[in-house]
Amino acid sequence: MTNGTAMKPLMEIKNLTTRFYTQDGVVNAVNGISYTLDPGEILGVVGESGCGKSVHALSIMRLIQIPPGEIPAGEVFFGGRDLLKLSEREMRMVRGHEIAMVFQDPMSSLNPVYTVGFQISEALMLHKKMNRSQAKVRAIELLNLVGIPEATKRFDNYPHQFSGGMRQRAMIAMALSCEPKLLIADEPTTALDVTIQAQIINLVIRLQEELGMSVMWITHDLGIVAEMVHRINVMYAGFIIERGFVDDIYNHTLHPYTMGLLGSLPSIDEAPGTKLISIPGLPPDLIALPEGCPFFARCTYRVEQCHQERPQLENAQEAGHTVACWRWREIQGFGVA
Amino acid sequence: MNSENKVLLQVINLKKYFPVSRGLFTNRQTRYVKAVDDVSFEVFDGETLGLVGETGCGKTTVARTILQLYRPTSGNIIFDGIDLTSLAENELRKIRRRMQMIFQDPYASLNPRMTVGNIISAPLDVHTDLGGKEKQDKVQDLLRLVGLNPDFVNRYPHEFSGGQRQRIGIARALALNPDLVICDEPISSLDVSIQAQVVNLLEELQDRLGLTYIFVAHDLSMVRHISDRMVVMYLGKVMELADRNEIYLRPRHPYTRALMSAVPIPNPRKARDRQRILLKGDIPSPLNPPNGCNFNTRCPMAQAICFNTDPEYREIEPRHYVACHFA
Ligand SMILES: Nc1ncnc2c1ncn2[C@@H]1O[C@H](COP(=O)(O)OP(=O)(O)OP(=O)(O)O)[C@@H](O)[C@H]1O
Ligand SMILES: Nc1ncnc2c1ncn2[C@@H]1O[C@H](COP(=O)(O)OP(=O)(O)OP(=O)(O)O)[C@@H](O)[C@H]1O
Ligand code: SF4
Ligand SMILES: [Mg+2]
Ligand SMILES: [Mg+2]
């Protein structure tokens, strides 16, 4: 389905830029990123803590608080219009209705004083113009759909009566209640145990197939996204530094940072005594971004040019594979360990 | 790994129950969280024993009970031939310097008002007569050992990143040349690229100093990477124990199988080929564990016997222990 150019994208982001004014200076959180998302596509957005994954998603949703935040440049085309130009009233109809977001902490979306069923019904009555009894029937269907056992009974439970995994499911049910075209999931499984995480991942893949929506899955773990996404954006210091279809990113890695991230993970068939390849140092200070390549200070392949000029995303051999590194052509010859 | 198999630590039928009071005025009957419920294993000198399992299964309680930070409800902890559970507090102090712990949260585990130098030298003050120049040298050596600049002694924890703070915690743990270091989720709060830095450091230190580790985590692939043998816990009990590759390639307990199949594989082709075993439902409350096998509420293989008889924890092959009726 996602063969890049043939299809009209669901969302097209151009030069999105977000910064924050703080006492210490201007935090350059998202630095002019551009990409497209196809209908029915699952996109993985990966990168370390602080690289701008959440801020970029919140900017799309127009949930950045201004001030201290500011979106000085960029366009987010969705359904034929630029979301960044909509009024707050128009934007409220987009949120929940066309784009829904689930967060790492389900309690940030679930209100502790109302029952789970009530909250889902409210959303359905507001956005789908259902009456209370229609909404209840549909809410129970949704709770069933996301795999909550005994959904009819659970309808009347408060969020604190749910386990972590069940709250996460309830939040997904609420996000899906209005049949969004795009579901943005920001680290929805990070706080969960692996067996529960596996349940949620399976659920989202199944729902994506059944409902045909697009999904953006934000995570810092390249292991989690390998089997579930079609394409990946790798972010570093507010830039997309590599992007491509999942097999190309893993099996034909081009950017030294992506190589480092993959090298930091133990592989399942490694020999005893194998050393992990760690990336030395720390990400740059977003208040004082280096002029050249943002990865310069930690890169083993750096040359003088990297210090002076910032590399832009350019096309690699494979369709849809882009990389921002001056030396990717040479580096790929060295092979990944 | 060392093939001599000298046993450094024995955990024998360890139980740790925590009483929970159910409100002030309700009936006085106390109930217990069976945090650790009859756990036995050995740790060989110079090895790394991985301890895995999901939230609340009792990993931290096992660790703290080994160090006698919690006194066990019953069972024995034999460290280098000495039963720690029979020692009084003052006798324990001498032994404790040989066993140290590294904690999960590099932010909470370092006192924010102490300099790095004072943090690292605190155990030296308690347990040794080192002073003045000697002590300073020792602290600087320790900083160098964990890859930090020795000039950092006068800085405070907030001036360091998470990975650097974890190094400070490691330096503090190594100050007294311990034999056993228990690492309780030492990398869980760190970024992927920084996790690899800390794991590499721990491995290097083990080679240089001959340390024995118990490595607690719920990131299975990292535990497998660093461990020689692995213990899988569920709801206060050991489900399976075996060599790292054995447990990974030939898991015998249905819980271990599901756990291993849920490990993210950072390789799309291999990930797609792998069959995931999805467990249904959630982990039961440890206040109210099921009768019989404690995995029976989620087990895809459960039969009638599993609901009334607790399976025996037994050695099914040399060095491979399992608690399942059908293993
Ligand atoms: N309200 C704010 N004021 C100032 N700086 C902010 C604000 N919100 C975010 N930032 C900064 O913007 C940068 C990007 O943050 P963001 O939350 O997008 O990171 P992330 O990639 O989602 O990280 P994580 O994996 O930890 O969630 C960070 O350096 C963060 O400190
Ligand atoms: N001091 C305590 N008092 C009462 N209950 C406790 C105490 N410490 C732990 N428990 C309970 O014992 C069980 C085991 O907890 P423990 O912290 O050992 O789990 P864990 O495997 O380390 O989990 P995690 O992966 O979340 O760190 C849990 O149900 C916990 O709530
Ligand atoms: S541009 Fe230079 S510094 Fe940046 S990643 Fe490529 S080689 Fe490294
Ligand atoms: Mg985030
Ligand atoms: Mg713990």
Side-chain angles (χ1 to χ4, degrees):
Chain A
M1 38 130 286
T2 42
N3 51 5
T5 47
M7 199 179 306
K8 195 166 178 301
L10 176 70
M11 180 168 74
E12 181 166 13
I13 294 180
K14 287 185 177 159
N15 193 33
L16 180 65
T17 308
T18 308
R19 51 197 182 208
F20 295 95
Y21 291 86
T22 70
Q23 285 197 324
D24 299 329
V26 181
V27 178
N28 298 288
V30 176
N31 298 304
I33 64 177
S34 305
Y35 66 89
T36 59
L37 180 72
D38 287 340
E41 170 175 359
I42 306 184
L43 172 72
V45 174
V46 301
E48 286 173 272
S49 188
C51 72
K53 303 181 296 294
S54 298
V55 167
H56 125 270
L58 294 170
S59 303
I60 294 170
M61 294 290 275
R62 292 262 305 274
L63 290 172
I64 295 287
Q65 207 187 343
I66 299 173
E70 185 196 23
I71 305 182
E75 291 152 312
V76 177
F77 289 104
F78 191 96
R81 69 252 197 251
D82 181 358
L83 298 186
L84 298 185
K85 296 214 166 64
L86 296 187
S87 70
E88 181 51 35
R89 225 184 102 247
E90 291 168 314
M91 197 58 211
R92 262 201 297 273
M93 288 317 288
V94 174
R95 279 184 222 125
H97 216 71
E98 293 181 72
I99 310 178
M101 189 158 171
V102 296
F103 300 88
Q104 177 170 351
D105 173 15
M107 290 314 276
S108 61
S109 318
L110 294 172
N111 189 329
V113 305
Y114 297 112
T115 64
V116 171
F118 177 84
Q119 295 182 55
I120 299 175
S121 306
E122 282 292 296
L124 288 165
M125 286 158 64
L126 178 74
H127 287 289
K128 289 273 156 197
K129 307 278 176 276
M130 291 182 179
N131 65 33
R132 184 156 298 281
S133 59
Q134 288 170 321
K136 176 163 184 176
V137 172
R138 180 66 185 145
I140 290 171
E141 267 172 30
L142 283 163
L143 288 173
N144 258 321
L145 183 72
V146 297
I148 302 241
E150 303 183 278
T152 315
K153 260 201 233 155
R154 289 297 191 169
F155 182 88
D156 292 316
N157 278 181
Y158 289 89
H160 73 264
Q161 294 171 295
F162 276 28
S163 70
M166 276 162 65
R167 273 182 223 151
Q168 211 56 264
R169 287 165 186 269
M171 188 166 61
I172 292 172
M174 194 146 84
L176 295 180
S177 62
C178 300
E179 293 152 46
K181 298 194 189 91
L182 170 62
L183 176 70
I184 301 180
D186 192 355
E187 312 243 18
T189 63
T190 308
L192 302 175
D193 279 313
V194 275
T195 61
I196 312 293
Q197 174 175 296
Q199 292 172 349
I200 302 282
I201 289 174
N202 220 50
L203 168 70
V204 171
I205 295 175
R206 203 191 76 219
L207 292 173
Q208 190 278 325
E209 281 167 4
E210 277 171 28
L211 309 174
M213 64 189 170
S214 302
V215 176
M216 181 192 299
W217 191 278
I218 297 176
T219 174
H220 59 262
D221 190 336
L222 269 166
I224 292 180
V225 287
E227 64 192 288
M228 68 178 299
V229 307
H230 303 118
R231 263 195 288 207
I232 290 188
N233 291 349
V234 183
M235 291 187 68
Y236 190 78
F239 298 91
I240 294 175
I241 52 94
E242 184 165 7
R243 164 176 162 87
F245 288 98
V246 63
D247 287 272
D248 297 329
I249 293 287
Y250 287 83
N251 300 322
H252 194 194
T253 318
L254 293 177
H255 198 284
Y257 175 64
T258 318
M259 290 179 192
L261 272 187
L262 286 169
S264 305
L265 299 170
S267 80
I268 53 157
D269 40 17
E270 66 174 22
T274 309
K275 279 264 161 248
L276 300 176
I277 309 165
S278 69
I279 309 174
L282 298 169
D285 181 359
L286 297 178
I287 291 177
L289 271 186
E291 255 170 59
C293 173
F295 191 55
F296 178 80
R298 305 172 80 186
C299 184
T300 34
Y301 300 106
R302 65 185 173 210
V303 291
E304 187 50 29
Q305 183 187 18
C306 313
H307 187 45
Q308 309 289 348
E309 290 174 70
R310 188 169 289 158
Q312 304 296 320
L313 281 177
E314 55 182 285
N315 291 323
Q317 287 98 326
E318 303 94 359
H321 195 174
T322 54
V323 56
C325 166
W326 291 118
R327 303 194 60 203
W328 68 268
R329 269 175 247 269
E330 301 156 70
I331 292 168
Q332 61 173 338
F334 302 158
V336 192
Chain B
M1 182 61 337
N2 298 12
S3 46
E4 336 141 22
N5 284 3
K6 178 181 170 260
V7 174
L8 180 65
L9 177 80
Q10 274 175 288
V11 174
I12 305 169
N13 301 120
L14 183 69
K15 292 186 183 175
K16 179 64 193 174
Y17 296 175
F18 293 105
V20 280
S21 43
R22 301 201 60 209
L24 279 177
F25 302 106
T26 49
N27 60 2
R28 289 276 158 191
Q29 185 195 357
T30 352
R31 298 204 302 161
Y32 290 93
V33 178
K34 299 182 173 181
V36 176
D37 196 13
D38 202 2
V39 162
S40 302
F41 59 84
E42 302 176 321
V43 185
F44 298 121
D45 194 22
E47 81 165 336
T48 299
L49 182 74
L51 192 53
V52 299
E54 296 174 273
T55 287
C57 72
K59 304 179 295 295
T60 297
T61 307
V62 166
R64 299 185 68 99
T65 317
I66 288 173
L67 297 178
Q68 300 293 301
L69 298 171
Y70 293 150
R71 290 295 197 160
T73 304
S74 68
N76 304 85
I77 308 286
I78 318 279
F79 178 75
D80 204 10
I82 305 162
D83 188 347
L84 305 185
T85 57
S86 65
L87 296 186
E89 201 56 36
N90 59 338
E91 297 169 303
L92 263 178
R93 255 191 49 192
K94 273 176 271 159
I95 292 247
R96 254 201 204 121
R97 57 178 297 177
R98 297 178 58 193
M99 309 186 295
Q100 295 292 323
M101 190 148 166
I102 298 168
F103 299 90
Q104 167 166 9
D105 188 343
Y107 295 83
S109 60
L110 304 177
N111 185 336
R113 282 181 295 277
M114 280 166 75
T115 63
V116 167
N118 288 337
I119 288 171
I120 298 175
S121 60
L124 296 171
D125 295 336
V126 177
H127 290 280
T128 71
D129 305 326
L130 286 186
K133 178 89 174 67
E134 259 181 325
K135 190 168 85 177
Q136 269 176 25
D137 286 349
K138 175 79 184 172
V139 168
Q140 300 208 331
D141 285 347
L142 284 163
L143 282 172
R144 245 178 250 119
L145 186 69
V146 297
L148 289 174
N149 187 334
D151 298 338
F152 288 173
V153 279
N154 292 320
R155 297 204 186 170
Y156 290 88
H158 74 261
E159 297 174 58
F160 294 90
S161 70
Q164 288 174 320
R165 288 183 215 209
Q166 206 49 290
R167 288 173 193 263
I168 297 168
I170 295 170
R172 174 177 61 185
L174 297 181
L176 298 166
N177 304 320
D179 300 305
L180 174 68
V181 180
I182 302 184
C183 312
D184 190 3
E185 311 253 10
I187 54 169
S188 310
S189 62
L190 304 176
D191 255 319
V192 185
S193 75
I194 313 297
Q195 287 187 355
Q197 292 176 3
V198 173
V199 165
N200 283 345
L201 172 68
L202 287 170
E203 290 183 328
E204 206 182 289
L205 292 170
Q206 180 170 49
D207 289 346
R208 272 165 70 181
L209 309 173
L211 299 169
T212 304
Y213 289 142
I214 295 178
F215 191 92
V216 178
H218 50 247
D219 176 350
L220 283 152
S221 48
M222 205 53 106
V223 178
R224 195 187 78 102
H225 169 82
I226 199 172
S227 304
D228 298 298
R229 296 185 306 141
M230 280 166 72
V231 179
V232 177
M233 286 185 69
Y234 185 80
L235 219 56
K237 291 184 188 285
V238 175
M239 300 286 104
E240 187 159 7
L241 187 164
D243 291 350
R244 66 190 284 257
N245 276 331
E246 179 71 11
I247 211 162
Y248 202 81
L249 299 173
R250 282 173 294 279
R252 300 287 289 271
H253 196 287
Y255 176 63
T256 316
R257 286 193 191 139
L259 208 54
M260 295 301 164
S261 84
V263 178
I265 301 178
N267 179 318
R269 254 180 257 149
K270 286 182 199 154
R272 272 179 234 127
D273 288 348
R274 169 260 302 272
Q275 268 317 97
R276 268 226 160 115
I277 304 168
L278 285 181
L279 293 177
K280 44 186 196 292
D282 285 313
I283 308 166
S285 157
L287 263 177
N288 203 359
N291 290 327
C293 174
N294 62 1
F295 185 53
N296 64 23
T297 58
R298 300 172 80 197
C299 183
M301 286 169 63
Q303 305 291 321
I305 182 176
C306 308
F307 292 90
N308 41 52
T309 313
D310 196 4
E312 189 197 349
Y313 177 66
R314 63 196 195 282
E315 190 168 16
I316 53 161
E317 277 165 35
R319 298 166 63 85
H320 195 151
Y321 298 79
V322 187
C324 169
H325 292 296
F326 303 105

